Amino acid sequence: MKRILTLSLIVLLLLTGVCFAEKSKLKKKTWTPIQTRVENNLQVQDFYNHKELYHEGAKQVGLWFATFIPDRDKKEYAYFYEAVVMDYNTGKYRVIRTYQANKKNKIDKETDKRFPDAEWKDISGTKYETLYRRMKPSIW
């Protein structure tokens, strides 16, 4: 009886597509979920790519940050990608590239923007703060 209930629950979850990670086209071995939050009355999920970390300086780390955005009305979803550099000496960040991708994870070339001279901003109160706090112990 316990087995039947467990299998029924698994099938129900798979059919309804409740989990963001199951719908996501992000490769699970390279993208790590950071947080789920509400933005414009919509629940979105943030990920970072832990295989594409790079160092720009002694305490500056760059990485890819992706936001998974579901559209419940159209039963579709999209991704918003950002290349972010975090400076662990100053507690600041800067976004150096952004673009959007559709549910097949294809880049929308019209949204691809690069900001090589982006200004440094305070990390406090931003969507990157959770990742910054999580990664800081490993940087120091």
Side-chain angles (χ1 to χ4, degrees):
M1 184 67 173
K2 200 174 187 180
R3 245 188 229 169
I4 293 172
L5 286 173
T6 304
L7 287 173
S8 299
L9 181 60
I10 291 170
V11 169
L12 179 66
L13 287 174
L14 289 174
L15 290 176
T16 58
V18 171
C19 300
F20 279 143
E22 288 303 320
K23 286 184 179 180
S24 173
K25 295 287 183 197
L26 300 176
K27 293 178 184 171
K28 293 178 186 173
K29 290 184 180 177
T30 58
W31 290 92
T32 303
I34 306 166
Q35 63 195 349
T36 300
R37 59 189 171 79
V38 176
E39 186 175 293
N40 298 326
N41 295 324
L42 191 64
Q43 191 175 19
V44 298
Q45 190 170 17
D46 297 321
F47 296 83
Y48 82 98
N49 191 324
H50 58 83
K51 293 215 176 188
E52 290 192 29
L53 292 175
Y54 58 93
H55 293 270
E56 290 204 343
K59 299 288 184 194
Q60 291 181 8
V61 175
L63 53 92
W64 279 99
F65 186 89
T67 302
F68 175 68
I69 308 166
D71 184 339
R72 301 216 188 279
D73 297 335
K74 295 180 182 177
K75 296 185 179 174
E76 293 181 354
Y77 50 90
Y79 302 98
F80 182 68
Y81 288 91
E82 297 163 291
V84 180
V85 178
M86 296 182 186
D87 188 329
Y88 285 87
N89 279 328
T90 62
K92 297 191 181 260
Y93 77 98
R94 64 188 178 111
V95 178
I96 57 175
R97 182 180 178 193
T98 64
Y99 65 86
Q100 282 186 285
N102 62 17
K103 69 180 182 178
K104 293 183 179 175
N105 218 359
K106 301 288 181 195
I107 296 174
D108 178 357
K109 295 188 191 249
E110 291 178 13
T111 64
D112 194 358
K113 294 180 176 53
R114 295 166 195 261
F115 312 101
D117 299 322
E119 66 180 74
W120 291 95
K121 298 177 184 173
D122 188 27
I123 202 89
S124 300
T126 65
K127 64 183 178 180
Y128 312 107
E129 187 174 17
T130 302
L131 178 60
Y132 175 83
R133 303 239 180 269
R134 186 184 294 176
M135 291 182 67
K136 190 170 183 174
S138 66
I139 301 300
W140 294 99

